[in-house]
Amino acid sequence: MTPQKLRIGLVAGELSGDTLGAALIRDLKRLCPQAEFVGIGGVQMQAEGLTSLYPLERLSVMGLVEVMGRIKELFAIRDGLVDAFTGDQQIDLFIGIDAPDFNLRLSAKLKPLGIKTVQYVSPSVWAWRQNRVHGIKAAVDLVLCLFPFEVEFYQRFEVPAVFVGHPLAKRLAPHHQTESGKQALGLSPAHQVVALLPGSRGGEVSRLAPLLLDTARALHQQNPALRFLIPAVNSAREHQIRVLRDALPEPLRHAVRIMTPQDDSGQIGRQVMAASDVVVLASGTATLEALLLARPMVVVYRVHWLTYLIARWMVKIPYVALPNILAKKMIVPELIQHDATPAKVTAQVQRLLTKPTDWQAQQQALHDIHVELQGGQATCAAEAVLALLPQEQVA
């Protein structure tokens, strides 16, 4: 009898997870060429062979209060995946990629059914809601951690976890030159460029894009030679941003360029940051890419006021931006909620644009973290998850 093919379920909840998932699928196919992949992913994971049962966009929601407005739909998607993963799309292994509030609940449904479960990208359990670690221990067989300190946290609670690093930490050179990034996008090296990244979710863009465009207006008044780049990860975000951009006065409108993907690589945000002198971006996983590119940055964020109050009460660490968390000190400005005003953001960006010593100091600090992330003995993520299965099943 021909052995049944190995089928792996994967669920990513946003663009950064799609990038991680695509890389993981490539490595899994290298080790197990006959494997099949099903779940939820974007264009990158689908290009690697994933059959996506729902659009990735349906999981792209951020914030405690914001999720409540979509809770019925999210539960329906979760239950639909359970039915598929235990029915006509029976899987042997499940990997939840980021999106912990969704994926850990899904894992908790699948693990009792005998399906091995993995969480790829640790939730920020070390930062807030630390009691979640007990639920994680019950829901998953393994946590794949991007940062070494996360493994140390899980070891205290006897949760199986391995440090796998971030694929970009080794792929991106620590000594990135802005000139080459500008050249790749056909920009003049003579122009100072500011990248504006309001996020990949519709809710994020609606809250942050007006703030970033008001900042661009103030910066352009001070220096009309400045150029601004905004990446739009898909057609929905492009339309949302373009409506706001087209309402700007001349000549600011011509100084703000919306960049759209030319392929399915999911790299438009990275390309924009690589071509920029300063990056203004939403707090989140994009800050890691900015860090690895050594792009001096200003981090901003706004959420529903109730989400902010709840998070402020529950967060156990002093920083929000990932570079500051990794450095254990403030190296990049954080302007969150009421501090996220055009005047304050403008002042921080202007400081980086006009004070070379401040720009260089932040770039050096980011470079040092990148080098640290490249070090250590990271485990291969694909090998770690396949090790959960019987050897004959992955042969």
Side-chain angles (χ1 to χ4, degrees), residues 225-382:
L226 278 178
R227 298 294 181 265
F228 303 91
L229 301 179
I230 307 180
V233 299
N234 54 42
S235 58
R237 298 292 79 75
E238 179 188 5
H239 174 74
Q240 190 177 9
I241 295 167
R242 191 172 297 281
V243 168
L244 297 170
R245 196 281 307 269
D246 288 351
L248 297 174
E250 298 281 2
L252 176 59
R253 183 163 66 247
H254 291 295
V256 177
R257 182 175 168 188
I258 301 172
M259 307 297 295
T260 56
Q262 300 303 307
D263 53 39
D264 294 338
S265 65
Q267 296 184 14
I268 187 61
R270 192 185 316 159
Q271 292 166 345
V272 164
M273 288 189 285
S276 301
D277 297 282
V278 174
V279 178
V280 189
L281 73 170
S283 177
T285 51
T287 59
L288 177 62
E289 291 197 34
L291 181 159
L292 296 174
L293 291 166
R295 293 299 86 205
M297 71 185 87
V298 177
V299 177
V300 301
Y301 212 66
R302 287 176 176 170
V303 291
H304 188 281
W305 66 268
L306 184 54
T307 295
Y308 175 71
L309 289 179
I310 295 170
R312 187 177 178 184
W313 173 62
M314 300 178 75
V315 169
K316 304 298 183 184
I317 58 175
Y319 308 116
V320 171
L322 184 58
N324 295 335
I325 294 171
L326 292 172
K328 298 184 174 66
K329 62 181 180 180
M330 185 76 74
I331 62 173
V332 306
E334 297 180 358
L335 297 170
I336 309 301
Q337 208 67 3
H338 304 300
D339 285 329
T341 66
K344 290 185 177 182
V345 179
T346 299
Q348 292 291 350
V349 175
Q350 189 71 350
R351 177 179 61 82
L352 290 171
L353 288 172
T354 59
K355 295 185 177 180
T357 54
D358 288 0
W359 189 94
Q360 292 162 2
Q362 191 187 130
Q363 185 182 59
Q364 184 61 50
L366 297 172
H367 170 269
D368 292 345
I369 298 174
H370 187 170
V371 172
E372 182 180 351
L373 291 177
Q374 285 185 320
Q377 299 300 314
T379 300
C380 172

Side-chain angles (χ1 to χ4, degrees), residues 64-130:
L64 300 172
V65 175
E66 293 82 346
V67 168
M68 295 307 297
R70 298 268 311 284
I71 197 72
K72 185 175 181 180
E73 178 188 5
L74 294 172
F75 279 167
I77 293 173
R78 182 201 62 186
D79 294 342
L81 287 170
V82 172
D83 290 342
F85 288 163
T86 58
D88 59 351
Q89 297 284 355
Q90 174 72 49
I91 61 173
D92 304 285
L93 171 73
F94 172 69
I95 305 169
I97 306 170
D98 214 349
D101 289 327
F102 182 89
N103 279 324
L104 289 172
R105 287 178 171 84
L106 179 55
S107 290
K109 294 278 188 180
L110 298 174
K111 187 177 178 182
L113 302 176
I115 296 172
K116 294 295 184 181
T117 56
V118 177
Q119 177 65 24
Y120 187 15
V121 182
S122 167
S124 301
V125 65
W126 34 266
W128 71 310
R129 294 166 60 197
Q130 292 192 357

